[in-house]
Amino acid sequence: MNHENQIEQNKRTGALRLYRRYLSILFRSKMQYKKSFFMLFVGSFLASFTIFLSVYFMFRRFPQVKGYTFQEVLLCYSIVLMSFSLAEIWARGLEAFPGMVRRGEFDRVMLRPRSLLLQILGTQCDIERFSRVLQALVILLYAVRTSSIPWTPLKIAAVFFMLTGGCVLFSGIFLIQAAMSFFFLDGLEFTNIFTFGLNEHGKYPVDIYGKGVLWVLTYIIPFALVQYYPLLYVLGRRQELWYAFLPFAAALFLIPGYLLWRVGVRHYKSSGS
C-alpha cells in the first residue's frame, strides 16, 4: 500500500512539474513579442474597465439599485471579475479545446502518456488577463475601504471563499463546454451565456434580475452560491453562518463537468482532419 501511495505521489509531483514547464514555455513565447504582449495587456484592461464605467455612470444617476449602494455593487463586481479572470487564465486551454477537436489535434494529445486534461490546460494560458485581476484587486480594495461593512475575520474568509468558489465554478463551466465538443463538433456558442454572460451580468447581485433568474442560478448553474448568498452575509443582510460557506457547495459543480469529460473521451472519434 505504501508503495502504491508513493507511485501516486510521484505521478502528482510529475504532473505539477510538467504543468510548470508548460507555463514556463508559454510565458517565454509571449515575451518574444513584448510590445504585442503589452498592447494585449492594456487592451484587456480597457475592455473590462468599460464595465466599471457602466456601473459608475449608473450610480451617478441613481443612488441605489434595489437597495444596493455603489460600494456594495463594486464589492460584488470585483469578486466576480477576479474569479472569472483567474479561471480564464488557467483554463484558457479548455475554452479553445473545441477547435482542437475540429482540427483533429486531440488525436495527437491522446498518444502522449500524460493526463489529457493536464495537456489541454497547458496548451494555452492568457497571462494578459492578469490586467483584469489587477483591476479587480484595486476595485476590491477601494470597495472594502469605502464601505461601511464591519469587517470580521469570518467576513474576510467569506470573500476569499467567494473568489475561490467562483474560480472553480467558472472552470467547471469551461470544462463542460469543452466536454460537449466531443458530441457537437461545431461547438455550442450558447454556453458563453454561462461564462462571459455571468461575468457581464454578475456585476450586480443576481436578485435584481428577478426570482426566476435567481432560482436558475441557484439550482441549475450555482452561480448565486458564490456571488449572491455569501454576499448577503458579508453585507450583514443575513446572519446565518452557513451562507459564508456556500461557495464550497458550488465547487461541486466540477464533478458533473469531469464526468461528462470522461464520457466524451471514451466515446471520442477523430474528426478526420
Side-chain angles (χ1 to χ4, degrees):
M1 183 64 68
N2 291 333
H3 180 65
E4 293 179 356
N5 292 337
Q6 184 64 35
I7 292 177
E8 290 298 323
Q9 183 177 358
N10 291 338
K11 287 182 178 179
R12 289 192 293 268
T13 303
L16 291 175
R17 189 182 301 113
L18 178 61
Y19 185 66
R20 288 197 299 268
R21 180 66 175 170
Y22 278 138
L23 295 182
S24 175
I25 294 172
L26 290 170
F27 181 77
R28 290 200 304 270
S29 67
K30 289 181 180 294
M31 289 299 101
Q32 295 298 315
Y33 306 94
K34 295 182 177 60
K35 293 181 180 179
S36 175
F37 171 79
F38 177 76
M39 294 300 295
L40 289 172
F41 188 91
V42 173
S44 177
F45 180 91
L46 294 177
S48 58
F49 187 69
T50 57
I51 303 177
F52 165 76
L53 290 178
S54 69
V55 176
Y56 173 77
F57 287 118
M58 170 73 74
F59 280 92
R60 289 274 295 182
R61 185 172 182 85
F62 304 102
Q64 294 183 345
V65 175
K66 202 174 181 180
Y68 295 101
T69 65
F70 178 56
Q71 289 76 15
E72 292 172 344
V73 170
L74 283 187
L75 180 65
C76 176
Y77 164 64
S78 61
I79 292 173
V80 173
L81 177 62
M82 187 179 298
S83 58
F84 177 77
S85 299
L86 289 172
E88 196 176 20
I89 289 170
W90 91 280
R92 181 70 174 94
L94 293 175
E95 186 183 352
F97 179 72
M100 294 183 63
V101 174
R102 289 194 301 270
R103 295 188 297 269
E105 297 176 1
F106 187 59
D107 299 37
R108 185 174 65 250
V109 173
M110 296 187 72
L111 294 175
R112 299 167 182 164
R114 290 292 185 177
S115 167
L116 299 179
L117 269 178
L118 179 66
Q119 294 184 69
I120 299 303
L121 292 172
T123 56
Q124 295 194 41
C125 179
D126 281 353
I127 57 178
E128 300 90 350
R129 297 295 191 274
F130 273 112
S131 63
R132 298 184 181 182
V133 176
L134 178 62
Q135 180 184 140
L137 180 61
V138 172
I139 296 174
L140 176 62
L141 293 177
Y142 172 80
V144 169
R145 184 174 181 179
T146 58
S147 67
S148 58
I149 300 173
W151 291 100
T152 64
L154 191 54
K155 288 188 176 182
I156 296 174
V159 171
F160 177 76
F161 296 156
M162 292 170 69
L163 290 170
T164 305
C167 183
V168 173
L169 175 64
F170 281 119
S171 299
I173 297 175
F174 283 131
L175 181 57
I176 291 177
Q177 186 178 22
M180 293 180 70
S181 64
F182 287 121
F183 310 99
F184 305 93
L185 288 180
D186 289 334
L188 296 175
E189 296 299 329
F190 79 88
T191 55
N192 291 333
I193 297 174
F194 305 112
T195 52
F196 299 101
L198 287 179
N199 177 52
E200 168 68 25
H201 298 288
K203 59 181 177 284
Y204 297 105
V206 295
D207 65 323
I208 74 169
Y209 301 113
K211 293 183 179 179
V213 173
L214 179 60
W215 186 91
V216 170
L217 296 182
T218 300
Y219 299 104
I220 299 179
I221 305 294
F223 178 69
L225 301 187
V226 301
Q227 191 243 37
Y228 173 64
Y229 296 109
L231 181 68
L232 293 181
Y233 177 80
V234 172
L235 299 180
R237 301 190 178 199
R238 297 300 296 262
Q239 303 301 321
E240 293 88 339
L241 187 61
W242 56 274
Y243 270 50
F245 295 93
L246 282 177
F248 289 101
L252 298 176
F253 195 70
L254 271 179
I255 296 177
Y258 181 71
L259 293 177
L260 183 61
W261 169 268
R262 293 290 299 272
V263 171
V265 170
R266 285 199 300 269
H267 293 82
Y268 170 71
K269 295 181 180 179
S270 176
S271 63
S273 299

